[in-house]
Amino acid sequence: MAQPSIYQQVLDPANRANPYPLYAELRKTPVTREDDGTYVISTYNEIFALLHDPRVSSDPRHRPGAGGKTAQPDPGQPAPPLPFISRDPPDHDRLRELAMRPFGPPCTPGRIDGMRPWLVEITTGLIDKLADKNSADFVDDFAYPLPVTAICELLGVPLEDQPRFHEWADAIIETIDPATGTFEERARKRDEVNAELGQYFSHLVDSRVRQPGDDLISGLLTDQGPNAPMPREDLLATANLLLVAGHETTVNLITNGMLTLLRHRDVLDRLNHEPGLVTTLVEELLRYEPPVQMRTNRTTVADINIGGTTIPKGSPLALMLAAGNRDPSRFADPDRFDPDRTDNAHLSFLGGIHYCFGAPLARTETQVALAELARRLISPRLVADPPPYRPNPELRGPRHLLIEYDAVAPARQKTGQAVSSG
Ligand code: HEM
């Protein structure tokens, strides 16, 4: 049997706990071709260039799985629109701009900062619950509930509906996990959950049409700017996208954060006394242990010369973000976790037109969470290192993170002032 390629070894769940030596191997040849025609790109400059290249498409209809043909929807059954993460200009740009207006600057500058005191409150509540015991599964007890609650708040999902929403989020994540059944089973389950979620969002949109609130969906519905309002079907696809794109990614960042701090006790102690460190620390975490390790959703729509290779039109790409983040030609001492690093233009939120829409929220959530955890958990320690990982090579993160601690310090009186991100 042929020796598995380095890329195949990266995909192998047996290598999930530490894929970084494999990435170093990959970088020795910046562009490699797999037997199935996928081109694997592993060096910073080449990934960066392709992210900004208009000859690279995010639209799955350009996938060579369909023989390079653009799939046409069945005329009897118009397919629901793709979310903007899977579209190219000009549709991508129009929809993203519409979604951006109620989400952040310049139109709604206070949206994320306005969520900070509330995020502190949720974080405080989750840490309070840890005080009843001396050990916890950090993923289930902390990192998992926080981001989905934040997305509910953003979308305006009423409090009483949030448990159902958590269930859907869990179900979607499971269907992304290759270990949870056959491809067909997972696809069927995903369709079921998407149908239920679609119905739920549809009712939510109806209620916001009748009575707009201060949430993102209401913002999209009441927008008076150019190209507004967003068509209803696109709005439903956008709401679904925000849940999927913003959930497990943030779970993994917070969990990787805790894991990395427990492996670097000096940094954890520093964060406790110096909460302002959290801003550069979270950027370094993103570089060092990126929640999205690679993107495999792009296809070339023309021949592209890069890294001494011509990638032909219609080729699937695997952009190895985590390998680029540790490229020694871009980052000094890249395998060192350096919370003071300032020259840190990592690839973890990508770059170019699809740069992560939720980056300000993900950063704020993680900053709040890690600063509070460093302050309140007394003598936290890992029970197992490495922890068990989910098999997914793209959205990489621990499935469980068992920790022990001696005690939990009390919450501050005024939770709104509990942390400062510097
Ligand atoms: C640490 C957490 C996160 C990481 C590492 C992350 C990473 C990424 C990456 C790599 C992309 C590019 C995907 C692609 O084009 O192939 C992306 C796009 C996106 N992210 Fe995030 N994300 C995070 C959190 C969030 C959150 C909290 C939200 C929602 C509030 C969000 C919403 C989106 C959306 C809507 C896109 C599509 C942008 C576009 O196509 O223009 N993300 N994210």
Side-chain angles (χ1 to χ4, degrees):
M1 221 169 88
Q3 172 84 355
S5 68
I6 300 168
Y7 178 63
Q8 281 166 343
Q9 293 176 55
V10 169
L11 301 186
D12 182 347
N15 293 316
R16 199 64 62 244
N18 185 13
Y20 297 101
L22 292 168
Y23 294 145
E25 279 299 308
L26 270 182
R27 278 192 307 266
K28 289 180 183 165
T29 318
V31 181
T32 55
R33 185 183 180 283
E34 290 295 302
D35 288 345
D36 70 356
T38 300
Y39 281 79
V40 181
I41 327 293
S42 53
T43 39
Y44 185 95
N45 286 340
E46 281 65 29
I47 297 172
F48 188 90
L50 289 171
L51 288 176
H52 293 83
D53 194 320
R55 298 168 296 173
V56 172
S57 166
S58 290
D59 190 326
R61 292 167 297 189
H62 285 124
R63 258 331 219 218
K69 283 180 257 144
T70 301
Q72 292 301 323
D74 178 344
Q77 279 189 330
L82 291 166
F84 62 85
I85 195 170
S86 302
R87 290 167 84 164
D88 295 331
D91 287 349
H92 166 271
D93 302 4
R94 174 177 52 83
L95 291 167
R96 178 173 166 126
E97 204 213 311
L98 282 173
M100 215 61 200
R101 277 191 223 143
F103 184 68
C107 299
T108 323
R111 167 82 66 198
I112 302 302
D113 261 355
M115 284 176 77
R116 184 178 281 270
W118 174 87
L119 284 167
V120 172
E121 215 173 287
I122 300 285
T123 303
T124 301
L126 290 170
I127 301 179
D128 286 347
K129 283 195 195 154
L130 300 181
D132 302 338
K133 42 193 185 180
N134 288 99
S135 65
D137 178 354
F138 184 77
V139 177
D140 288 349
D141 294 343
F142 187 88
Y144 219 64
L146 181 63
V148 74
T149 311
I151 291 166
C152 285
E153 170 77 5
L154 184 71
L155 293 173
V157 173
L159 212 58
E160 63 274 17
D161 292 347
Q162 291 196 7
R164 287 166 70 201
F165 212 79
H166 282 238
E167 277 169 29
W168 285 320
D170 289 354
I172 289 178
I173 300 305
E174 264 196 20
T175 67
I176 298 172
D177 189 334
T180 58
T182 66
F183 183 81
E184 289 74 24
E185 283 164 356
R186 286 186 284 118
R188 201 170 39 246
K189 179 74 188 160
R190 192 161 48 239
D191 287 347
E192 272 170 36
V193 180
N194 276 338
E196 284 179 29
L197 200 60
Q199 240 176 21
Y200 178 82
F201 277 133
S202 197
H203 290 307
L204 189 65
V205 168
D206 288 343
S207 81
R208 291 298 176 268
V209 169
R210 287 192 297 275
Q211 197 178 9
D214 187 29
D215 53 89
L216 194 130
I217 290 185
S218 300
L220 289 172
L221 287 166
T222 54
D223 189 352
Q224 307 275 319
N227 295 319
M230 186 184 275
R232 186 186 173 95
E233 290 299 310
D234 286 316
L235 200 157
L236 295 175
T238 300
N240 198 321
L241 167 65
L242 292 179
L243 173 67
V244 176
H247 187 215
E248 183 159 351
T249 46
T250 316
V251 175
N252 287 343
L253 181 61
I254 295 171
T255 308
N256 290 342
M258 193 64 189
L259 175 62
T260 305
L261 287 174
L262 290 174
R263 284 173 173 169
H264 296 82
R265 304 295 308 218
D266 52 326
V267 181
L268 182 62
D269 291 344
R270 244 186 97 190
L271 182 59
N272 182 13
H273 299 107
E274 215 185 299
L277 178 68
V278 84
T279 310
T280 48
L281 184 148
V282 168
E283 284 319 292
E284 175 67 345
L285 256 180
L286 280 157
R287 182 193 71 81
Y288 185 76
E289 285 279 26
V292 182
Q293 297 258 306
M294 63 180 89
R295 287 307 279 147
T296 54
N297 58 343
R298 280 163 169 74
T299 313
T300 52
V301 292
D303 291 358
I304 299 179
N305 291 317
I306 188 136
T309 303
T310 300
I311 304 180
K313 175 181 173 177
S315 302
L317 302 180
L319 303 175
M320 309 304 284
L321 311 176
N325 279 354
R326 296 218 188 178
D327 186 338
S329 69
R330 174 60 187 82
F331 297 102
D333 204 359
D335 289 323
R336 192 163 79 88
F337 177 68
D338 173 6
D340 297 303
R341 196 184 290 270
T342 47
D343 176 18
N344 203 350
H346 57 72
L347 300 166
S348 305
F349 288 130
L350 234 67
I353 61 168
H354 291 279
Y355 181 83
C356 175
F357 175 93
L361 177 59
R363 284 186 168 114
T364 306
E365 274 178 58
T366 311
Q367 290 168 6
V368 166
L370 294 183
E372 274 298 272
L373 286 159
R375 193 180 70 75
R376 294 190 62 197
L377 288 188
I378 311 295
S379 301
R381 52 208 175 259
L382 290 170
V383 173
D385 192 6
Y389 275 77
R390 291 176 199 282
N392 194 330
E394 194 148 348
L395 304 184
R396 171 176 167 272
R399 171 63 194 93
H400 299 288
L401 187 68
L402 300 181
I403 57 165
E404 288 176 348
Y405 40 91
D406 290 348
V408 174
R412 291 202 181 145
Q413 286 283 305
K414 281 186 127 192
T415 53
Q417 293 171 0
V419 290
S420 127
S421 67

